[in-house]
Amino acid sequence: MTAPQTKYARSGDVHIAYQVVGEGPLDLVFIPGWVSHVELWWEEPAVARFFARLASFSRLILFDKRGTGLSDPVPLTQLPTLEERMDDVRAVMDAVGSERAALFAVSEGGAFALLFAATYPERAAALVVYGGYARIARGPDYPEGIPREQFERLPQRIDESWGTGAILKYLAPDSVGDQRLREWWARFERQAASPGASMALVRMNYDIDVRSALPAITAPTLVLHPSGDRMVPVEHGRYIARHIKGAKYVELPGSGHPTFVSGDTDTLVDEIQEFLTGVRPGAEPDRVLATVLFTDIVGSSERAAALGDHGWRDLLESYYAMVRRQLERFRGREIDTAGDGMFAAFDGPARAIRCGAAIASGARQLGLEVRAGVHTGECEVIGEKIGGIAVHTGARVAALAKPGEVLVSHTVKDLVAGSGIRFEDRGTHALKGIPGEWRLFSVGSEGSG
């Protein structure tokens, strides 16, 4: 999804950066946690996908709280109060013409969303809190809280490593090995807030206590919390749910504090969508860009009749042993076999072409001729298999190949430019059941390189 345009709302003398995405009938204001950056969010695919799903059933309203991201900075000695933060939410809602909206708050954003819902019931249509708390500090009347000496480790870590992404291992322990995510998070930290601002905001949050507002909340409320959350332990979410009349509580598996690494973001969004709309969507299939290779033996029926059952089975066994050696050589993954046909997937089109050519060459040594087709496109992940229009396209391309030929779609040819693989234009063709006209190309004999 393309990042939406960033605009600004005026809240007193402060400018609040915001974005609007989606055209659903429900307004949904996303209240971020500790720090945010509305434009950098969209550069991380997991976050972009998360927001896209929310925007599929709502008009999603994103914003950076004052002092963070693209909103106006504030002096560290004048950090925003909860009252000012509520003013900022109202200013953004007014700017986009939203009189009443559902609030979706995460982590620290949960505290002032709870207060907002209690203070402005006419503007809060519903409330969803993920990984949130009403109070974080431990006290005589709040044993669920975190002792100050334990909490102080967080600002210390910020002081030592802000901007490196090192803190991600505490926020999302299961993502500790994801170097790409850590690099993005490091840049996100540097642009979302300065180290000093981050430490000051964290320490201010330790003193927040909105427990007294919970009984006054009348908006329908959904409380979601990951069971293994290390930053905000699950007891905080349970407390909120117990003290809001009629609140629904859902404990989710996983240890990820940020929503986009919660472990199962689809289930998270499904819960939110069902709560806010009354409709739980069917599971959206995972998708992956893959290159598919289809091969089949030409004239197999006649050859089988000539050899007899036993002889044909022995030849097929030798053939498939050769095919699997080539798949291993070119890093292909066997998806399915049917009769004398084979379907495999690759993470690169050049390897798929060379594997197809090598299979054709190996088949000739066994006295067989095969035809092969290659196509690259977005595939649906279905357990251990893949499916979708790209798979059907690959099969149709293979069906048009001549004996001994590896035939590819124009998509594949374009993707392997510079690989040294030579092609012969086979013209445009209609592929049965596939929209449009397709330009196909035959691979030269050096394709098995």
Side-chain angles (χ1 to χ4, degrees), residues 221-307:
T221 301
L222 171 64
V223 180
L224 301 154
H225 214 106
S227 59
D229 194 333
R230 291 170 58 184
M231 294 297 292
V232 179
V234 71
E235 289 77 16
H236 294 275
R238 294 170 182 168
Y239 181 93
I240 293 172
R242 285 198 308 269
H243 290 82
I244 297 177
K245 186 177 180 180
K248 178 182 179 181
Y249 178 70
V250 178
E251 201 161 296
L252 300 167
S255 58
H257 185 60
T259 50
F260 60 92
V261 290
S262 66
D264 187 351
T265 53
D266 283 328
T267 297
L268 170 62
V269 179
D270 287 350
E271 290 286 352
I272 295 170
Q273 183 172 353
E274 182 178 27
F275 181 77
L276 295 178
T277 69
V279 177
R280 191 180 188 92
E284 180 180 339
D286 289 334
R287 297 179 183 276
V288 63
L289 184 69
T291 298
V292 296
L293 166 67
F294 283 85
T295 65
D296 75 287
I297 299 173
V298 179
S300 58
S301 299
E302 294 82 355
R303 192 65 185 276
L307 291 174

Side-chain angles (χ1 to χ4, degrees), residues 132-143:
Y133 56 85
R135 170 184 170 131
I136 199 72
R138 179 171 293 181
D141 61 342
Y142 194 65

Side-chain angles (χ1 to χ4, degrees), residues 422-445:
R422 299 176 66 85
F423 299 93
E424 178 183 342
D425 193 340
R426 285 278 309 275
T428 56
H429 299 261
L431 304 182
K432 185 177 179 181
I434 311 295
E437 294 286 317
W438 289 77
R439 198 167 196 88
L440 303 182
F441 296 84
S442 181
V443 177
S445 59

Side-chain angles (χ1 to χ4, degrees), residues 44-45 56 84-85 100 123 162 166 183 195 222 224 235 308 345 352:
E44 167 50 44
S56 70
E84 288 173 323
R85 290 182 175 185
R100 203 158 186 255
R123 305 208 70 170
W162 189 252
E183 290 173 357
L222 171 64
L224 301 154
E235 289 77 16

Side-chain angles (χ1 to χ4, degrees), residues 46-64:
V47 182
R49 182 175 183 273
F50 177 71
F51 284 154
R53 281 219 53 200
L54 293 175
S56 70
F57 61 87
S58 73
R59 183 172 71 137
L60 180 63
I61 302 163
L62 308 171
F63 74 100
D64 287 332

